[in-house]
Short mmCIF file of all heavy atoms in Angstrom, two decimals:
data_model
loop_
_atom_site.label_atom_id
_atom_site.label_comp_id
_atom_site.label_asym_id
_atom_site.label_seq_id
_atom_site.Cartn_x
_atom_site.Cartn_y
_atom_site.Cartn_z
N LEU A 11 43.90 64.08 59.96
CA LEU A 11 43.40 64.06 58.65
C LEU A 11 44.02 64.93 57.73
O LEU A 11 44.38 64.68 56.51
CB LEU A 11 41.85 64.07 58.62
CG LEU A 11 41.07 62.95 59.18
CD1 LEU A 11 39.64 63.25 59.26
CD2 LEU A 11 41.35 61.56 58.40
N TRP A 44 65.84 76.72 77.93
CA TRP A 44 64.87 77.81 77.64
C TRP A 44 64.98 79.08 78.44
O TRP A 44 64.58 80.23 78.02
CB TRP A 44 63.44 77.31 77.82
CG TRP A 44 63.11 76.26 76.76
CD1 TRP A 44 63.13 74.97 76.85
CD2 TRP A 44 62.73 76.61 75.34
NE1 TRP A 44 62.79 74.36 75.61
CE2 TRP A 44 62.52 75.33 74.74
CE3 TRP A 44 62.51 77.66 74.66
CZ2 TRP A 44 62.16 75.22 73.41
CZ3 TRP A 44 62.18 77.70 73.41
CH2 TRP A 44 62.10 76.33 72.71
N GLY A 56 54.25 72.71 60.25
CA GLY A 56 53.07 71.73 60.05
C GLY A 56 51.71 72.13 60.78
O GLY A 56 51.37 73.35 60.56
N ALA A 65 55.60 76.63 72.66
CA ALA A 65 54.89 77.68 73.40
C ALA A 65 54.91 77.50 74.80
O ALA A 65 54.91 78.46 75.67
CB ALA A 65 53.48 77.71 72.76
N GLU A 67 57.23 75.91 76.64
CA GLU A 67 58.54 76.06 77.13
C GLU A 67 59.13 77.46 77.01
O GLU A 67 59.98 77.94 77.92
CB GLU A 67 59.48 75.06 76.51
CG GLU A 67 59.14 73.56 76.75
CD GLU A 67 59.47 73.18 78.05
OE1 GLU A 67 60.16 73.77 79.00
OE2 GLU A 67 58.79 72.11 78.39
N GLY A 69 59.93 81.33 77.19
CA GLY A 69 59.55 82.38 78.08
C GLY A 69 58.78 83.51 77.41
O GLY A 69 58.70 83.48 76.17
N PHE A 77 58.21 78.54 60.43
CA PHE A 77 58.35 78.38 58.93
C PHE A 77 57.63 77.35 58.46
O PHE A 77 57.84 76.14 58.94
CB PHE A 77 59.90 78.28 58.57
CG PHE A 77 60.57 79.47 58.79
CD1 PHE A 77 61.18 79.76 59.97
CD2 PHE A 77 60.85 80.43 57.85
CE1 PHE A 77 61.85 80.96 60.32
CE2 PHE A 77 61.62 81.55 57.91
CZ PHE A 77 62.06 81.79 59.22
N ARG A 84 50.07 77.15 57.38
CA ARG A 84 50.54 78.38 57.83
C ARG A 84 49.43 79.28 58.31
O ARG A 84 49.54 79.93 59.47
CB ARG A 84 51.43 79.01 56.80
CG ARG A 84 52.28 80.17 57.30
CD ARG A 84 53.29 80.65 56.26
NE ARG A 84 52.62 81.16 55.04
CZ ARG A 84 52.69 80.67 53.87
NH1 ARG A 84 53.39 79.43 53.65
NH2 ARG A 84 52.09 81.10 52.79
N CYS A 96 54.96 83.94 61.33
CA CYS A 96 54.86 82.76 60.49
C CYS A 96 55.51 83.16 59.05
O CYS A 96 55.22 84.25 58.57
CB CYS A 96 53.42 82.38 60.18
SG CYS A 96 52.69 81.63 61.61
N HIS A 97 56.28 82.28 58.46
CA HIS A 97 56.95 82.58 57.26
C HIS A 97 56.92 81.35 56.32
O HIS A 97 56.90 80.23 56.76
CB HIS A 97 58.46 82.90 57.55
CG HIS A 97 58.59 84.01 58.61
ND1 HIS A 97 58.53 85.38 58.30
CD2 HIS A 97 58.75 83.92 59.95
CE1 HIS A 97 58.62 86.02 59.50
NE2 HIS A 97 58.78 85.20 60.36
N ARG A 104 67.23 84.01 57.22
CA ARG A 104 67.99 85.27 57.54
C ARG A 104 67.08 86.47 57.14
O ARG A 104 67.22 87.52 57.64
CB ARG A 104 69.37 85.15 57.04
CG ARG A 104 70.26 84.35 57.79
CD ARG A 104 71.61 84.19 57.23
NE ARG A 104 71.53 83.59 55.88
CZ ARG A 104 72.54 83.73 54.95
NH1 ARG A 104 73.50 84.42 55.20
NH2 ARG A 104 72.39 83.18 53.79
N ARG A 109 63.91 91.14 58.75
CA ARG A 109 62.78 91.95 58.75
C ARG A 109 62.10 92.10 60.21
O ARG A 109 61.49 93.00 60.54
CB ARG A 109 61.53 91.22 57.93
CG ARG A 109 61.74 91.41 56.40
CD ARG A 109 60.45 91.04 55.67
NE ARG A 109 60.06 89.76 55.91
CZ ARG A 109 60.58 88.60 55.26
NH1 ARG A 109 61.65 88.68 54.43
NH2 ARG A 109 60.11 87.39 55.66
N GLU A 138 71.61 77.87 55.54
CA GLU A 138 70.80 79.05 56.07
C GLU A 138 70.70 78.82 57.61
O GLU A 138 70.71 79.71 58.36
CB GLU A 138 69.44 78.95 55.42
CG GLU A 138 68.60 80.04 55.70
CD GLU A 138 68.93 81.43 55.07
OE1 GLU A 138 69.90 81.39 54.10
OE2 GLU A 138 68.32 82.42 55.52
N VAL A 150 68.19 71.46 66.76
CA VAL A 150 67.58 70.17 67.14
C VAL A 150 66.58 69.83 66.00
O VAL A 150 65.79 70.47 65.56
CB VAL A 150 66.81 70.45 68.38
CG1 VAL A 150 66.10 69.06 68.76
CG2 VAL A 150 67.61 70.93 69.53
N TYR A 154 64.01 60.19 60.54
CA TYR A 154 63.45 58.84 60.61
C TYR A 154 64.53 57.82 60.39
O TYR A 154 64.34 56.54 60.33
CB TYR A 154 62.32 58.55 59.71
CG TYR A 154 61.08 59.49 60.08
CD1 TYR A 154 60.70 60.40 59.25
CD2 TYR A 154 60.52 59.50 61.35
CE1 TYR A 154 59.67 61.25 59.53
CE2 TYR A 154 59.43 60.21 61.61
CZ TYR A 154 59.07 61.20 60.73
OH TYR A 154 58.03 62.12 61.13
N LEU A 162 75.25 66.29 58.99
CA LEU A 162 75.21 67.20 60.10
C LEU A 162 76.45 67.45 60.75
O LEU A 162 76.74 68.53 61.33
CB LEU A 162 74.02 66.76 61.04
CG LEU A 162 72.65 66.84 60.53
CD1 LEU A 162 71.65 66.23 61.47
CD2 LEU A 162 72.25 68.35 60.12
N ARG A 172 69.05 60.95 70.17
CA ARG A 172 68.04 60.22 70.96
C ARG A 172 67.05 59.50 70.18
O ARG A 172 66.48 60.09 69.26
CB ARG A 172 67.29 61.26 71.99
CG ARG A 172 68.38 61.81 72.89
CD ARG A 172 67.70 62.78 73.87
NE ARG A 172 68.74 63.25 74.78
CZ ARG A 172 68.96 64.51 74.91
NH1 ARG A 172 68.27 65.47 74.32
NH2 ARG A 172 69.87 65.04 75.79
N VAL A 185 70.66 66.37 68.47
CA VAL A 185 70.79 67.55 69.35
C VAL A 185 72.18 68.00 69.02
O VAL A 185 73.24 67.35 69.23
CB VAL A 185 70.72 67.11 70.79
CG1 VAL A 185 70.85 68.44 71.66
CG2 VAL A 185 69.45 66.42 71.14
N LYS A 191 84.20 78.55 65.46
CA LYS A 191 85.45 78.55 64.61
C LYS A 191 86.57 79.43 65.29
O LYS A 191 86.33 80.30 65.98
CB LYS A 191 85.12 79.01 63.22
CG LYS A 191 84.29 78.08 62.51
CD LYS A 191 83.89 78.53 61.14
CE LYS A 191 82.95 77.66 60.46
NZ LYS A 191 82.71 77.92 59.11
#
Side-chain angles (χ1 to χ4, degrees):
L11 289 174
W44 288 99
E67 297 289 343
F77 290 83
R84 198 168 56 251
C96 292
H97 308 276
R104 290 177 295 158
R109 285 192 307 276
E138 191 71 14
V150 181
Y154 299 115
L162 289 175
R172 299 187 175 117
V185 181
K191 297 177 183 183

